[in-house]
Amino acid sequence: MSDPEDIFATPADTGEMTDAPRILVGVSGGIAAYKACELVRELRRRGCAVRVVMTAGAQAFVTPLTFQALSGEPVRTHLLDAEAESGMDHIALARWADQVVIAPATADLMARMAHGLADDLLTTLLLATTAPVTLAPAMNHRMWEHPATRASHATLCERGVRFVGPDSGEQACGEQGAGRMAEPAAIAAALLDTHPGALQDRRVLITAGPTREPVDPVRYLGNRSSGRMGLALAAAARDAGARVTLVHGPCEHPPPPGVATRAVETAAEMHAAVLEALEGTEVFIASAAVADYRPAAPADHKLKKSRDSLNLELERTPDILADVARRAEQLAPRPLLVGFAAETDRLREHAGDKLTSKGLDLIAANRVDAGRGFGDVDNALLCLWPGGERELPRQPKEQLAGELIRLIADRLAPDTNPDHPSSPQEA
Ligand code: C5P
């Protein structure tokens, strides 16, 4: 049997540049398969060698001939391809690729991949490759938000699979929501623009959203946090190159793609999840609005309104940030600790006290009142750190998150970036 590598034409035969990035594009069966044609063209335009593998479903939308014409290479569709010389395409393709991108990645493809199935050429080579794998999901928004797809997503993120998109907007089915495949140019940029981000490969742990403390089986004590700031911080840290773990309470929006998530409900669950994920964390950002008190003895049956008044005895919840701060000195690396302070008055004074008393490296303080701070609204932050401060003006939380992440990256290594305006000497 010939070496599996030989089954394709050599670079000289095809005119491929030997040092051109070799991108394997997997196409699974969704309407966005037509956009994969543009992705192949974009990658070729940017000097890549491209080979395409299609699932059976993908061929119902676009023919292999189209991708063959666009890539200039034979398109592979079958695991046991009698026409391929060695019949071992999955190994050869897996070795050939510098990067693998699946666009579109359907819910089915994600589920098969998460379970390690190998029932066609594409899923088989995904098990065989050691190249970085990027997924550009595309599906109906309800399918994207389905717990089964969330679970596939979480598993794949934990395994280091990178996600680009999905984007939000109008979908092919006419509905609105998150599930549109990212634009081909954005996918190509994510594959090829390898400038290291400000938090490149840093492990960042973020808490987000409110907690709910049960009163009885149907009632809870909660707060108005939407989780939007924490979710935006997770997306911004991911965009800065970080490996993000997000521990979140019940938020109004789904977590961003490309981060590992742990969904919790109570302060105690959030506390346990954070401590479990803490090892190796380089930055801990506590943006969750954790309940400070919980009912001391939640009822195990629904409370009846038989009395005119009801007294609930409350007890303190664990302070997650304070607990992490206590452990930080024993951790290697010692994580940079970032807290939030939501205050109705004397913002600077309260935030400054919290920075010191909790032993934080940075605190982001905001005023809260009607229409400001909490919920789905713009925000402004006063950021304090030992020896310095910076005001981030009112803007959408997504932009604010980008600015805060840059500030955090500077605090992580202030000495290596003395010219940066947020360095200590500025204060
Ligand atoms: O003391 P205070 O609750 O105002 O501190 C707010 C900061 O502490 C926020 O960063 C919040 O996420 C964190 N926190 C926590 N666990 C708690 C209470 C607050 O991590 N139980």
Side-chain angles (χ1 to χ4, degrees):
M1 190 188 282
S2 62
D3 183 325
E5 302 258 29
D6 292 335
I7 63 171
F8 293 112
T10 63
D13 292 329
T14 59
E16 250 179 38
M17 306 265 293
T18 43
D19 56 355
R22 296 186 294 194
I23 314 282
L24 192 140
V25 178
V27 185
S28 63
I31 178 63
Y34 80 92
K35 282 164 95 180
C37 300
E38 187 49 38
L39 174 63
V40 172
R41 289 185 56 172
E42 180 67 24
L43 291 171
R44 292 292 305 270
R45 256 199 300 272
R46 295 177 69 146
C48 301
V50 179
R51 287 178 182 171
V52 177
V53 170
M54 301 178 76
T55 65
Q59 294 167 65
F61 292 93
V62 183
T63 67
L65 204 56
T66 307
F67 283 111
Q68 183 170 316
L70 293 172
S71 66
E73 295 284 342
V75 171
R76 301 300 189 200
T77 53
H78 288 94
L79 182 55
L80 303 171
D81 188 347
E83 285 174 25
E85 284 139 72
S86 71
M88 289 182 64
D89 279 16
H90 59 293
I91 303 296
L93 286 164
R95 284 190 196 151
W96 174 83
D98 293 327
Q99 290 201 60
V100 177
V101 57
I102 315 290
T106 59
D108 174 70
L109 190 282
M110 284 174 59
R112 286 191 291 143
M113 202 177 157
H115 284 92
L117 298 189
D119 54 0
D120 63 5
L121 176 59
L122 185 53
T123 47
T124 308
L125 80 83
L126 282 166
L127 287 184
T129 192
T130 54
V133 177
T134 301
L135 259 53
M139 65 196 74
N140 170 274
H141 66 106
R142 288 183 211 287
M143 295 171 72
W144 174 250
E145 281 154 24
H146 192 282
T149 310
R150 302 284 80 241
S152 305
H153 178 246
T155 304
L156 295 172
C157 286
E158 271 165 29
R159 288 190 199 140
V161 171
R162 188 161 61 138
F163 282 78
V164 181
D167 291 345
S168 289
E170 184 161 359
Q171 302 207 268
C173 55
E175 294 181 15
Q176 294 276 341
R180 283 163 58 102
M181 190 173 99
E183 291 307 316
I187 302 171
L191 294 171
L192 301 174
D193 295 345
T194 50
H195 308 300
L199 290 178
Q200 194 63 40
D201 294 327
R202 300 289 200 164
R203 294 168 73 109
V204 176
L205 177 61
I206 301 176
T207 65
T211 63
R212 289 177 178 174
E213 309 303 326
V215 173
D216 67 17
V218 295
R219 303 181 180 94
Y220 58 81
L221 296 182
N223 62 63
R224 292 182 199 281
S225 165
S226 65
R228 187 171 150 201
M229 189 71 210
L231 302 183
L233 281 167
R238 174 205 62 198
D239 292 346
R243 294 161 61 189
V244 181
T245 300
L246 176 69
V247 178
H248 66 90
C251 296
E252 284 174 24
H253 303 277
V259 308
T261 54
R262 282 285 309 275
V264 297
E265 204 155 299
T266 64
E269 288 167 6
M270 187 173 274
H271 183 255
V274 163
L275 293 190
E276 203 180 299
L278 194 58
E279 177 140 16
T281 293
E282 290 162 276
V283 180
F284 176 59
I285 308 176
S287 71
V290 186
D292 292 322
Y293 292 91
R294 66 184 169 210
D300 52 12
H301 58 278
K302 188 180 167 199
L303 296 175
K304 297 289 173 209
K305 52 175 184 278
S306 48
R307 285 174 287 162
D308 283 345
S309 65
L310 172 70
N311 288 322
L312 278 181
E313 193 192 334
L314 302 180
E315 65 182 13
R316 284 293 304 266
T317 55
D319 190 320
I320 303 166
L321 180 54
D323 241 17
V324 171
R326 264 192 294 276
R327 287 164 201 236
E329 301 306 329
Q330 276 82 56
L331 295 172
R334 177 196 174 277
L336 187 98
L337 302 175
V338 181
F340 273 74
E343 307 290 344
T344 50
D345 63 329
R346 292 165 42 209
L347 186 67
R348 183 184 303 273
E349 195 183 322
H350 286 312
D353 287 349
K354 228 167 260 184
L355 178 75
T356 323
S357 67
K358 294 204 184 193
L360 307 182
D361 299 292
L362 192 148
I363 193 154
N366 64 301
R367 256 177 233 295
V368 282
D369 49 36
R372 214 167 27 171
F374 263 40
D376 240 346
V377 291
D378 289 359
N379 205 2
L381 292 173
L382 169 64
C383 299
L384 306 177
W385 58 88
E389 67 173 66
R390 167 84 66 84
E391 291 213 33
L392 302 179
R394 189 181 171 106
Q395 55 196 305
K397 285 179 177 170
E398 288 68 25
Q399 285 173 29
L400 203 54
E403 291 209 24
L404 185 55
I405 288 295
R406 278 192 288 281
L407 206 51
I408 289 170
D410 292 345
R411 302 313 315 146
L412 202 53
D415 300 340
T416 60
N417 192 9
D419 297 332
H420 196 282
S422 64
S423 287
Q425 62 268 34
E426 166 214 20

mmCIF file of all heavy atoms in Angstrom, residues 207 267 270 284-292 316-322 338-343 354 358 360 363, ligand 1:
data_model
loop_
_atom_site.group_PDB
_atom_site.id
_atom_site.type_symbol
_atom_site.label_atom_id
_atom_site.label_comp_id
_atom_site.label_asym_id
_atom_site.label_seq_id
_atom_site.Cartn_x
_atom_site.Cartn_y
_atom_site.Cartn_z
ATOM 1 N N THR A 207 -17.282 35.239 36.696
ATOM 2 C CA THR A 207 -18.640 34.962 37.177
ATOM 3 C C THR A 207 -19.568 36.026 36.601
ATOM 4 O O THR A 207 -19.162 37.172 36.422
ATOM 5 C CB THR A 207 -18.743 34.977 38.717
ATOM 6 O OG1 THR A 207 -18.462 36.301 39.192
ATOM 7 C CG2 THR A 207 -17.796 33.987 39.355
ATOM 8 N N ALA A 267 -25.826 31.064 45.136
ATOM 9 C CA ALA A 267 -24.488 31.528 45.495
ATOM 10 C C ALA A 267 -23.599 30.347 45.887
ATOM 11 O O ALA A 267 -22.415 30.297 45.536
ATOM 12 C CB ALA A 267 -24.581 32.525 46.655
ATOM 13 N N MET A 270 -22.466 28.607 42.800
ATOM 14 C CA MET A 270 -21.465 29.418 42.091
ATOM 15 C C MET A 270 -20.119 29.330 42.808
ATOM 16 O O MET A 270 -19.064 29.195 42.179
ATOM 17 C CB MET A 270 -21.947 30.876 41.999
ATOM 18 C CG MET A 270 -21.071 31.742 41.136
ATOM 19 S SD MET A 270 -21.756 33.387 40.894
ATOM 20 C CE MET A 270 -22.829 33.136 39.495
ATOM 21 N N PHE A 284 -9.127 36.316 37.554
ATOM 22 C CA PHE A 284 -10.474 36.011 38.051
ATOM 23 C C PHE A 284 -11.278 37.308 38.058
ATOM 24 O O PHE A 284 -10.885 38.284 38.699
ATOM 25 C CB PHE A 284 -10.416 35.403 39.456
ATOM 26 C CG PHE A 284 -11.789 35.163 40.052
ATOM 27 C CD1 PHE A 284 -12.697 34.331 39.415
ATOM 28 C CD2 PHE A 284 -12.174 35.780 41.236
ATOM 29 C CE1 PHE A 284 -13.967 34.115 39.944
ATOM 30 C CE2 PHE A 284 -13.439 35.564 41.774
ATOM 31 C CZ PHE A 284 -14.340 34.729 41.115
ATOM 32 N N ILE A 285 -12.370 37.318 37.310
ATOM 33 C CA ILE A 285 -13.220 38.517 37.248
ATOM 34 C C ILE A 285 -14.572 38.170 37.871
ATOM 35 O O ILE A 285 -15.312 37.345 37.337
ATOM 36 C CB ILE A 285 -13.436 38.989 35.798
ATOM 37 C CG1 ILE A 285 -12.096 39.149 35.062
ATOM 38 C CG2 ILE A 285 -14.222 40.307 35.777
ATOM 39 C CD1 ILE A 285 -12.239 39.519 33.588
ATOM 40 N N ALA A 286 -14.862 38.801 39.016
ATOM 41 C CA ALA A 286 -16.125 38.523 39.711
ATOM 42 C C ALA A 286 -17.130 39.591 39.313
ATOM 43 O O ALA A 286 -17.182 40.660 39.921
ATOM 44 C CB ALA A 286 -15.904 38.513 41.218
ATOM 45 N N SER A 287 -17.885 39.320 38.250
ATOM 46 C CA SER A 287 -18.871 40.324 37.830
ATOM 47 C C SER A 287 -20.291 39.898 38.189
ATOM 48 O O SER A 287 -21.239 40.613 37.900
ATOM 49 C CB SER A 287 -18.763 40.590 36.323
ATOM 50 O OG SER A 287 -19.222 39.493 35.580
ATOM 51 N N ALA A 288 -20.431 38.735 38.813
ATOM 52 C CA ALA A 288 -21.778 38.273 39.175
ATOM 53 C C ALA A 288 -22.359 39.140 40.288
ATOM 54 O O ALA A 288 -21.630 39.632 41.150
ATOM 55 C CB ALA A 288 -21.722 36.819 39.632
ATOM 56 N N ALA A 289 -23.681 39.306 40.235
ATOM 57 C CA ALA A 289 -24.396 39.973 41.325
ATOM 58 C C ALA A 289 -24.853 38.864 42.273
ATOM 59 O O ALA A 289 -25.979 38.379 42.188
ATOM 60 C CB ALA A 289 -25.572 40.750 40.776
ATOM 61 N N VAL A 290 -23.929 38.447 43.129
ATOM 62 C CA VAL A 290 -24.202 37.315 44.010
ATOM 63 C C VAL A 290 -25.067 37.790 45.181
ATOM 64 O O VAL A 290 -24.779 38.841 45.776
ATOM 65 C CB VAL A 290 -22.879 36.738 44.569
ATOM 66 C CG1 VAL A 290 -23.133 35.472 45.362
ATOM 67 C CG2 VAL A 290 -21.885 36.487 43.449
ATOM 68 N N ALA A 291 -26.104 37.033 45.509
ATOM 69 C CA ALA A 291 -26.928 37.391 46.668
ATOM 70 C C ALA A 291 -26.055 37.393 47.918
ATOM 71 O O ALA A 291 -25.217 36.494 48.091
ATOM 72 C CB ALA A 291 -28.051 36.371 46.837
ATOM 73 N N ASP A 292 -26.221 38.404 48.750
ATOM 74 C CA ASP A 292 -25.435 38.459 49.991
ATOM 75 C C ASP A 292 -26.064 37.626 51.096
ATOM 76 O O ASP A 292 -25.392 37.181 52.007
ATOM 77 C CB ASP A 292 -25.293 39.909 50.459
ATOM 78 C CG ASP A 292 -24.417 40.706 49.501
ATOM 79 O OD1 ASP A 292 -23.424 40.125 49.010
ATOM 80 O OD2 ASP A 292 -24.730 41.874 49.235
ATOM 81 N N ARG A 316 -25.963 34.771 55.760
ATOM 82 C CA ARG A 316 -24.993 35.217 54.749
ATOM 83 C C ARG A 316 -24.675 34.081 53.785
ATOM 84 O O ARG A 316 -24.623 32.910 54.161
ATOM 85 C CB ARG A 316 -23.678 35.656 55.434
ATOM 86 C CG ARG A 316 -23.752 37.018 56.110
ATOM 87 C CD ARG A 316 -23.920 38.160 55.131
ATOM 88 N NE ARG A 316 -22.876 38.224 54.114
ATOM 89 C CZ ARG A 316 -21.788 38.961 54.238
ATOM 90 N NH1 ARG A 316 -21.577 39.680 55.315
ATOM 91 N NH2 ARG A 316 -20.900 38.992 53.270
ATOM 92 N N THR A 317 -24.436 34.454 52.539
ATOM 93 C CA THR A 317 -23.946 33.484 51.543
ATOM 94 C C THR A 317 -22.414 33.531 51.567
ATOM 95 O O THR A 317 -21.846 34.492 52.097
ATOM 96 C CB THR A 317 -24.426 33.884 50.139
ATOM 97 O OG1 THR A 317 -24.010 35.232 49.914
ATOM 98 C CG2 THR A 317 -25.931 33.756 50.003
ATOM 99 N N PRO A 318 -21.747 32.541 50.994
ATOM 100 C CA PRO A 318 -20.282 32.648 50.928
ATOM 101 C C PRO A 318 -19.884 33.799 50.014
ATOM 102 O O PRO A 318 -20.531 34.014 48.981
ATOM 103 C CB PRO A 318 -19.860 31.304 50.314
ATOM 104 C CG PRO A 318 -21.081 30.749 49.669
ATOM 105 C CD PRO A 318 -22.258 31.313 50.404
ATOM 106 N N ASP A 319 -18.856 34.570 50.406
ATOM 107 C CA ASP A 319 -18.339 35.628 49.531
ATOM 108 C C ASP A 319 -17.287 34.988 48.624
ATOM 109 O O ASP A 319 -16.179 34.667 49.066
ATOM 110 C CB ASP A 319 -17.747 36.773 50.358
ATOM 111 C CG ASP A 319 -17.423 37.972 49.477
ATOM 112 O OD1 ASP A 319 -16.923 37.772 48.351
ATOM 113 O OD2 ASP A 319 -17.688 39.115 49.905
ATOM 114 N N ILE A 320 -17.670 34.773 47.388
ATOM 115 C CA ILE A 320 -16.825 34.013 46.457
ATOM 116 C C ILE A 320 -15.504 34.732 46.211
ATOM 117 O O ILE A 320 -14.427 34.148 46.311
ATOM 118 C CB ILE A 320 -17.576 33.805 45.115
ATOM 119 C CG1 ILE A 320 -18.912 33.098 45.388
ATOM 120 C CG2 ILE A 320 -16.723 33.023 44.122
ATOM 121 C CD1 ILE A 320 -19.884 33.133 44.222
ATOM 122 N N LEU A 321 -15.623 36.038 45.919
ATOM 123 C CA LEU A 321 -14.424 36.815 45.606
ATOM 124 C C LEU A 321 -13.476 36.849 46.811
ATOM 125 O O LEU A 321 -12.256 36.656 46.658
ATOM 126 C CB LEU A 321 -14.846 38.228 45.180
ATOM 127 C CG LEU A 321 -13.744 39.210 44.817
ATOM 128 C CD1 LEU A 321 -12.818 38.665 43.746
ATOM 129 C CD2 LEU A 321 -14.346 40.540 44.350
ATOM 130 N N ALA A 322 -14.040 37.074 47.992
ATOM 131 C CA ALA A 322 -13.194 37.133 49.191
ATOM 132 C C ALA A 322 -12.511 35.784 49.418
ATOM 133 O O ALA A 322 -11.336 35.715 49.811
ATOM 134 C CB ALA A 322 -14.025 37.528 50.404
ATOM 135 N N VAL A 338 -10.121 40.692 40.021
ATOM 136 C CA VAL A 338 -10.901 41.851 39.590
ATOM 137 C C VAL A 338 -12.309 41.742 40.168
ATOM 138 O O VAL A 338 -12.996 40.736 39.951
ATOM 139 C CB VAL A 338 -10.985 41.918 38.047
ATOM 140 C CG1 VAL A 338 -11.781 43.152 37.608
ATOM 141 C CG2 VAL A 338 -9.589 41.920 37.435
ATOM 142 N N GLY A 339 -12.719 42.763 40.916
ATOM 143 C CA GLY A 339 -14.059 42.756 41.488
ATOM 144 C C GLY A 339 -14.893 43.899 40.935
ATOM 145 O O GLY A 339 -14.370 44.826 40.300
ATOM 146 N N PHE A 340 -16.169 43.832 41.190
ATOM 147 C CA PHE A 340 -17.097 44.896 40.814
ATOM 148 C C PHE A 340 -17.716 45.473 42.072
ATOM 149 O O PHE A 340 -17.849 44.767 43.087
ATOM 150 C CB PHE A 340 -18.202 44.345 39.910
ATOM 151 C CG PHE A 340 -17.821 44.359 38.455
ATOM 152 C CD1 PHE A 340 -16.904 43.437 37.957
ATOM 153 C CD2 PHE A 340 -18.357 45.292 37.599
ATOM 154 C CE1 PHE A 340 -16.539 43.460 36.626
ATOM 155 C CE2 PHE A 340 -17.993 45.319 36.260
ATOM 156 C CZ PHE A 340 -17.086 44.400 35.774
ATOM 157 N N ALA A 341 -18.073 46.731 42.007
ATOM 158 C CA ALA A 341 -18.790 47.333 43.126
ATOM 159 C C ALA A 341 -19.950 48.129 42.552
ATOM 160 O O ALA A 341 -19.742 49.025 41.733
ATOM 161 C CB ALA A 341 -17.862 48.257 43.917
ATOM 162 N N ALA A 342 -21.141 47.737 42.906
ATOM 163 C CA ALA A 342 -22.329 48.481 42.473
ATOM 164 C C ALA A 342 -22.789 49.300 43.666
ATOM 165 O O ALA A 342 -23.140 48.746 44.703
ATOM 166 C CB ALA A 342 -23.415 47.503 42.038
ATOM 167 N N GLU A 343 -22.751 50.622 43.511
ATOM 168 C CA GLU A 343 -23.031 51.482 44.659
ATOM 169 C C GLU A 343 -24.074 52.534 44.290
ATOM 170 O O GLU A 343 -24.111 53.008 43.154
ATOM 171 C CB GLU A 343 -21.750 52.218 45.109
ATOM 172 C CG GLU A 343 -20.549 51.314 45.366
ATOM 173 C CD GLU A 343 -20.694 50.443 46.607
ATOM 174 O OE1 GLU A 343 -21.565 50.727 47.442
ATOM 175 O OE2 GLU A 343 -19.936 49.461 46.724
ATOM 176 N N LYS A 354 -13.415 48.604 49.302
ATOM 177 C CA LYS A 354 -13.571 47.203 48.884
ATOM 178 C C LYS A 354 -12.290 46.677 48.233
ATOM 179 O O LYS A 354 -11.898 45.537 48.438
ATOM 180 C CB LYS A 354 -14.727 47.109 47.886
ATOM 181 C CG LYS A 354 -15.696 46.010 48.186
ATOM 182 C CD LYS A 354 -16.951 46.143 47.382
ATOM 183 C CE LYS A 354 -18.071 46.753 48.195
ATOM 184 N NZ LYS A 354 -19.333 46.814 47.500
ATOM 185 N N LYS A 358 -10.884 43.567 50.319
ATOM 186 C CA LYS A 358 -10.925 42.253 49.683
ATOM 187 C C LYS A 358 -9.585 41.864 49.059
ATOM 188 O O LYS A 358 -9.459 40.780 48.489
ATOM 189 C CB LYS A 358 -12.030 42.214 48.612
ATOM 190 C CG LYS A 358 -13.450 42.327 49.175
ATOM 191 C CD LYS A 358 -14.490 41.732 48.251
ATOM 192 C CE LYS A 358 -15.895 41.957 48.805
ATOM 193 N NZ LYS A 358 -16.931 41.160 48.148
ATOM 194 N N LEU A 360 -7.955 43.193 46.378
ATOM 195 C CA LEU A 360 -8.105 43.054 44.929
ATOM 196 C C LEU A 360 -6.991 43.777 44.178
ATOM 197 O O LEU A 360 -6.324 44.658 44.717
ATOM 198 C CB LEU A 360 -9.461 43.607 44.486
ATOM 199 C CG LEU A 360 -10.682 43.049 45.218
ATOM 200 C CD1 LEU A 360 -11.964 43.640 44.650
ATOM 201 C CD2 LEU A 360 -10.711 41.522 45.107
ATOM 202 N N ILE A 363 -10.703 47.141 40.868
ATOM 203 C CA ILE A 363 -12.155 47.105 41.109
ATOM 204 C C ILE A 363 -12.835 48.034 40.110
ATOM 205 O O ILE A 363 -12.319 49.120 39.799
ATOM 206 C CB ILE A 363 -12.517 47.449 42.573
ATOM 207 C CG1 ILE A 363 -13.987 47.086 42.836
ATOM 208 C CG2 ILE A 363 -12.257 48.902 42.920
ATOM 209 C CD1 ILE A 363 -14.289 46.781 44.286
HETATM 210 O O1 C5P B 1 -19.067 43.279 48.894
HETATM 211 P P1 C5P B 1 -19.788 43.368 47.619
HETATM 212 O O2 C5P B 1 -20.889 42.348 47.480
HETATM 213 O O3 C5P B 1 -20.289 44.728 47.236
HETATM 214 O O4 C5P B 1 -18.673 43.018 46.525
HETATM 215 C C1 C5P B 1 -18.970 42.937 45.170
HETATM 216 C C2 C5P B 1 -17.968 42.058 44.498
HETATM 217 O O5 C5P B 1 -17.844 40.828 45.203
HETATM 218 C C3 C5P B 1 -18.407 41.702 43.111
HETATM 219 O O6 C5P B 1 -17.230 41.531 42.358
HETATM 220 C C4 C5P B 1 -19.131 40.380 43.322
HETATM 221 O O7 C5P B 1 -19.134 39.584 42.147
HETATM 222 C C5 C5P B 1 -18.336 39.742 44.432
HETATM 223 N N1 C5P B 1 -19.125 38.905 45.337
HETATM 224 C C6 C5P B 1 -18.885 37.532 45.390
HETATM 225 N N2 C5P B 1 -19.587 36.754 46.262
HETATM 226 C C7 C5P B 1 -20.533 37.294 47.069
HETATM 227 C C8 C5P B 1 -20.780 38.686 47.027
HETATM 228 C C9 C5P B 1 -20.065 39.458 46.146
HETATM 229 O O8 C5P B 1 -18.037 37.040 44.648
HETATM 230 N N3 C5P B 1 -21.211 36.519 47.894
#
